[in-house]
Amino acid sequence: MGAGVLRLAAREGDVKNGCVLAGQVASMVTKEEPCRDIILDLFTGAEKVLGGANKWVK
């Protein structure tokens, strides 16, 4: 590893030659799935939560 490798990955997007940090959150990954599925699941959950928000707003 050399100087500037974190910048290569974080700022330039070069994950092949750069250094990517993975901390404690990496242990929370339990399955591999397409990004599309993750985003759809996130939005579906948000719709459910926000759908019930009208009871808090008058």
Side-chain angles (χ1 to χ4, degrees):
M1 302 303 280
V5 293
L6 180 58
R7 178 190 51 78
L8 280 175
R11 296 194 69 204
E12 307 297 329
D14 185 356
V15 295
K16 182 176 180 184
N17 297 305
C19 175
V20 179
L21 302 177
Q24 294 173 335
V25 72
S27 68
M28 296 176 67
V29 176
T30 58
K31 63 181 176 180
E32 186 176 327
E33 59 185 319
C35 183
R36 180 183 189 279
D37 293 348
I38 295 169
I39 293 171
L40 285 174
D41 185 44
L42 178 67
F43 275 79
T44 301
E47 286 176 344
K48 287 180 184 176
V49 170
L50 294 174
N54 61 354
K55 63 184 171 189
W56 298 310
V57 180
K58 294 182 181 183

